[in-house]
Amino acid sequence: MNSFLNTIWSSIGKKWVMAITGLSFCGFLVFHLLGNLTVYGGPELFNWYVEHLHSLGVLIKIAEWVLLFLFLVHVITGLLLAYENYRARPVRYAVSKTAGGRTLGSRSMAITGILILAFVVFHLLTFRSAGQKEVGDLMILTNWFHRPEMVAAYIMAMAVAALHVSHGFWSAFQTLGAGHSGRKSKFKTAGIILSLVVAFGFGCIPVFISMVS
Amino acid sequence: MSANASKLINLTLKVWRQKGPDVKGGLETYEAKDISTDMSFLEMFDVVNEGLILEGKDPISFDHDCREGICGACGAVVNGRAHGPEEGTTLCQLHMRHFDDGDVVVVEPWRSKAFKIVKDLVVDRSALDKIIQAGGYISVNTGGAPDANAIPIAQEVSDLAMDAASCIGCGACVASCPNASAMLFVGAKVSQLKLLPQGDIESAKRAVTMVETMDSLGFGNCTNEGECEVECPKGISITNIARLNRSYFKARSLFKKGVN
Ligand code: SF4
Ligand code: FES
């Protein structure tokens, strides 16, 4: 095997893959959120944003394929790591207690990851395919968020995503070997702030739409 | 009587007993009676074992050597915590005053695919030795000893190297890691040598060979849970893991063919 594949397949290599793809999604979330904020500007601003997004044409297509690729890599590598880690302790402890290192976010990465995967599939099936039928963009949102169960589901999905980010963001820097990392690093605080931004930024949108519509 | 005068307590122990590497083991219950709170956890085991021997039973096997917290031989998971509930102590330095009369104490061996159980609480940690053999050394030419202080080293750097070097190789980091990863151990060993000029020379090769060996032995992958840092009796920081991650990629630098 050549040196590149050898590196990627090592334990640290796989974690670098997780870190780089994961940080890309953090970036994506921020841009997605900035775009979504146009909802607060009323239907005109939001529809203007959606049209501009569509008018990017092939660029958007490329971005979508890149995101899909990164997503698949992140999911598959993550599942592989989780499986390997499960196998690394064939006999479990009868009693196991945390010493205080783990957080709710860190211990639930696999579960929140799978929930996010389910959410993304659902989200794409509903909004993206609906968006291509050109029904009128804000209408799609208002139709969906008319239903309280949809609002609840979206808020819950965002809470899950925030939990994932709360560990993932910091963890990526630690894995990439950032100086001044460690358990009490600034990256950890930054990750928690980002997760709150994600939770509130995205989470408030369905509430807002269901209230104004 | 002062508040911390010793008293006698009674405990119920549930200890993992396993006759050999490939036989099935299980938790057995023992009563530990009249245990002085001045004793260490291992001395408590000695008392229980004396009772077992008198009864003609097989005493509990456990690893120990210095009993001073410096050799890294001892270790067990006590009520779900590696080296017991106190931070910054090895099992031999865990004292019974941290337990209350009537406590139920569950004692299990380090659990990891890479550590095979030899007997009861004794596990084979030669996997850690194999990692050291793969690169945890420096190559020097023989000859006269070099002058002390010939190579100036900043105090902060030598402090960091010394902190990393305080790892006693006990394996608690592996035992407490939810993924049974050995990254804290490897991070400490790589850092201790890399930080100093004499060790830095071979640091690229070392990072690669030690990580490759670690991966091949069945340890899990670090997910930055941070449990190891809290459970490590020497308080080794996971910043050493970040340094290892850095060194590994510098060494591999992706497109560079081979390593130096
Ligand atoms: S890093 Fe700490 S817990 Fe791990 S082997 Fe060294 S001393 Fe033990
Ligand atoms: S017996 Fe040496 S560290 Fe515990």
Side-chain angles (χ1 to χ4, degrees), chain B residues 200-221:
Chain B
D200 193 30
I201 301 163
E202 290 167 292
S203 63
K205 186 168 155 226
R206 177 182 307 119
V208 172
T209 53
M210 286 179 86
V211 168
E212 268 176 357
T213 309
M214 170 186 81
D215 286 353
S216 72
L217 291 166
F219 292 104
N221 309 291

Side-chain angles (χ1 to χ4, degrees), chain A residues 85 89 94 98-99 106 171 177, chain B residues 108 111 221 224-225 227 246:
Chain A
N85 289 347
R89 179 163 290 136
T98 166
S106 79
S171 183
Chain B
E108 299 174 82
R111 295 222 184 270
N221 309 291
N224 304 322
E225 296 267 16
E227 290 285 309
R246 247 189 339 265

Side-chain angles (χ1 to χ4, degrees), chain B residues 188-207:
Chain B
K189 299 300 175 189
V190 161
S191 295
Q192 151 197 345
L193 296 168
K194 188 193 160 48
L195 283 162
L196 301 177
Q198 297 90 335
D200 193 30
I201 301 163
E202 290 167 292
S203 63
K205 186 168 155 226
R206 177 182 307 119

Side-chain angles (χ1 to χ4, degrees), chain A residues 48-213:
Chain A
W48 169 86
Y49 159 65
V50 175
E51 267 164 39
H52 270 75
L53 212 55
H54 283 187
S55 70
L56 290 175
V58 68
L59 281 179
I60 280 292
K61 277 270 164 292
I62 295 173
E64 280 181 336
W65 282 108
V66 169
L67 278 171
L68 180 68
F69 172 75
L70 293 177
F71 194 74
L72 288 177
V73 169
H74 193 79
V75 170
I76 293 169
T77 315
L79 288 173
L80 185 65
L81 284 168
Y83 172 72
E84 284 178 356
N85 289 347
Y86 180 77
R87 291 255 321 240
R89 179 163 290 136
V91 184
R92 309 255 126 197
Y93 289 110
V95 183
S96 108
K97 240 185 240 147
T98 166
R102 323 182 72 174
T103 59
L104 190 59
S106 79
R107 64 192 310 159
S108 61
M109 284 309 264
I111 300 165
T112 50
I114 289 168
L115 289 174
I116 292 169
L117 171 65
F119 168 75
V120 167
V121 171
F122 172 73
H123 186 54
L124 289 180
L125 284 178
T126 51
F127 282 178
R128 190 180 168 278
S129 55
Q132 286 180 343
K133 289 191 204 107
E134 317 243 337
V135 198
D137 305 301
L138 196 59
M139 276 299 288
I140 306 166
L141 290 187
T142 38
N143 284 345
W144 274 107
F145 292 135
H146 226 69
R147 297 156 56 179
E149 70 271 21
M150 285 297 288
V151 176
Y154 262 78
I155 291 176
M156 258 163 5
M158 287 312 113
V160 166
L163 207 54
H164 202 74
V165 170
S166 74
H167 178 68
F169 185 78
W170 164 78
S171 183
F173 283 98
Q174 166 79 8
T175 297
L176 296 175
H180 311 293
S181 48
R183 284 210 310 129
K184 294 184 182 97
S185 79
K186 292 205 179 71
F187 295 115
K188 207 160 199 175
T189 322
I192 289 169
I193 293 172
L194 181 64
S195 71
L196 290 175
V197 168
V198 167
F200 285 98
F202 284 106
C204 288
I205 290 172
V207 180
F208 171 75
I209 292 176
S210 70
M211 283 194 319
V212 294
S213 66

